[in-house]
Amino acid sequence: MMKAGFIGLGGMGEPMARNMAKAGFLAALWNRTRQRAVRLAQQLEVECAESPAQLAERVDVVLTCVSADADVLEVVRALLPGLHQGSLIVDMSTVSSETARQAADLVRQKGAEFLDAPVSGGVEGARNGTLAMMVGGDEAALEKVRPVLAAMSSRIVHMGVVGAGQGAKAINQIMCAGINEAVTEALAFGARLGLDLTKVIDVISAGAAGNWFLERRGMSLLQGLFEPGFKLALHHKDLKIALDMAARIGTRLPLTEATLRDYEELLRQGYGDEDISALYRLKRPAE
Ligand code: NAP
């Protein structure tokens, strides 16, 4: 059985690591804020590594789920001294395709393999082990590690070379932006009409406009509860990645540009650590 190590025990990483442990793959953990790793390692009865490199020495596959581009490269550089021939790194953070390629170049110098494997499905998907995972990199390496990844995901699709997983994830994030705009704007409209929005969400969820975000965030956003979920500052980071990619291929994303402007306003107001459904703050009628 492959031995796996997990780095980045945040909102997504912690439940993913728990599922790895449940499936019997998890051997070691590491987190920048050490206390989080110590606590979870005790609970799951696995090793709490002293450093990313020490973790890499101990396992066959290193799974990472950290915040942004610079963080992935920092963690990958810290792993390098511990990598060995045949080591596998699977990064599940959402970053640019370019960062995935840079990370892959770094680990290949050590005879190791890198897969970009961003996920979708939110903290609920992470908890339930039902994430959708889009993977870029060597297909044989993916097949080797697929049983490990299947402990966290209900759908794993090979997209192409390194960076292709992040390309697919950018498409996902562009759609999420449009859905967030549409749902929050439409519910604010409904509030102004004075309709019973519990009934609205119930009936619309069963029809053509039903969607994941409406079903899982509709009621909480109406109550003014914006607990993440998915932090607005992280989606803002993803939309900037998508706009950079669009600029490179000479296309525009007007909906994404509008969402980015809204998020920038919310970041200015100090709501970056709230869920993306906090967009409703800008749309809802004044009390
Ligand atoms: P989070 O709760 O903010 O957790 C971030 C994790 O990354 C923490 O463990 C943090 O360590 C670690 N980290 C950040 N920078 C680091 C660095 N330079 N070196 C080492 N560790 C570092 O974020 P999250 O919601 O779990 O998201 C993680 C990634 O998954 C992001 O790329 C996000 O876009 C993506 N994602 C999120 C969702 C979602 O719904 N939340 C869904 C799909 C994908 P500390 O404990 O020390 O802060």
Side-chain angles (χ1 to χ4, degrees):
M1 190 180 234
M2 277 186 119
K3 283 208 303 195
F6 206 105
I7 292 182
L9 304 168
M12 294 295 283
E14 178 179 332
M16 290 161 105
R18 285 183 188 279
N19 284 327
M20 299 287 309
K22 217 184 282 171
F25 293 113
L26 193 68
L29 293 173
W30 185 84
N31 192 65
R32 179 179 60 182
T33 305
R34 188 162 171 74
Q35 200 40 42
R36 277 176 137 168
V38 170
R39 206 172 350 109
L40 192 65
Q42 273 170 1
Q43 267 183 36
L44 301 179
E45 298 181 348
V46 297
E47 187 181 347
C48 183
E50 293 294 327
S51 65
Q54 194 202 52
L55 177 136
E57 279 168 18
R58 304 274 208 273
V59 299
D60 309 303
V61 51
V62 180
L63 300 150
T64 55
C65 189
V66 297
S67 305
D69 294 74
D71 306 311
V72 169
L73 292 175
E74 190 182 323
V75 166
V76 167
R77 284 200 184 92
L79 283 170
L80 290 179
L83 292 181
H84 38 90
Q85 188 75 30
S87 295
L88 193 52
I89 318 295
V90 182
D91 178 43
M92 299 175 296
S93 323
T94 304
V95 295
S96 68
S97 301
E98 183 52 33
T99 294
R101 286 191 284 271
Q102 283 178 25
D105 287 345
L106 287 171
V107 310
R108 277 193 200 119
Q109 291 166 14
K110 290 277 177 176
E113 200 67 58
F114 178 92
L115 301 175
D116 52 309
V119 295
S120 177
V123 287
E124 295 91 337
R127 264 186 227 122
N128 299 332
T130 54
L131 293 165
M133 185 178 276
M134 30 218 120
V135 186
D138 183 63
E139 200 165 4
L142 170 60
E143 290 317 314
K144 210 164 106 190
V145 77
R146 190 183 277 273
V148 177
L149 304 180
M152 300 175 284
S153 333
S154 53
R155 188 168 309 180
I156 302 169
V157 178
H158 183 247
M159 303 304 307
V161 296
V162 168
Q166 295 296 352
K169 176 69 186 185
I171 296 171
N172 186 81
Q173 298 310 79
I174 293 165
M175 285 191 197
C176 285
I179 291 165
N180 193 4
E181 288 286 346
V183 169
T184 52
E185 195 163 297
L187 289 177
F189 167 77
R192 288 186 175 89
L193 286 180
L195 288 182
D196 179 338
L197 294 178
T198 305
K199 286 185 181 171
V200 167
I201 290 172
D202 180 43
V203 72
I204 285 180
S205 294
N211 66 79
W212 188 102
F213 183 76
L214 178 68
E215 282 181 43
R216 287 170 183 77
R217 303 286 182 260
M219 283 311 296
S220 54
L221 73 84
L222 290 178
Q223 290 156 9
L225 299 173
F226 306 115
E227 172 112 357
F230 183 33
K231 285 180 196 156
L232 196 134
L234 288 179
H235 198 200
H236 174 264
K237 166 221 29 147
D238 299 345
L239 297 184
K240 285 183 73 170
I241 293 172
L243 286 176
D244 279 352
M245 289 171 77
R248 271 175 217 234
I249 53 173
T251 190
R252 282 197 56 211
L253 299 168
L255 256 176
T256 302
E257 287 167 17
T259 312
L260 204 68
R261 281 194 297 276
D262 284 344
Y263 282 2
E264 268 155 18
E265 177 56 31
L266 288 161
L267 288 174
R268 258 193 302 279
Q269 293 180 23
Y271 298 123
D273 281 337
E274 290 192 344
D275 187 70
I276 61 167
S277 52
L279 181 59
Y280 192 58
R281 287 182 180 281
L282 299 184
K283 313 265 184 188
R284 66 185 169 189
E287 308 236 297

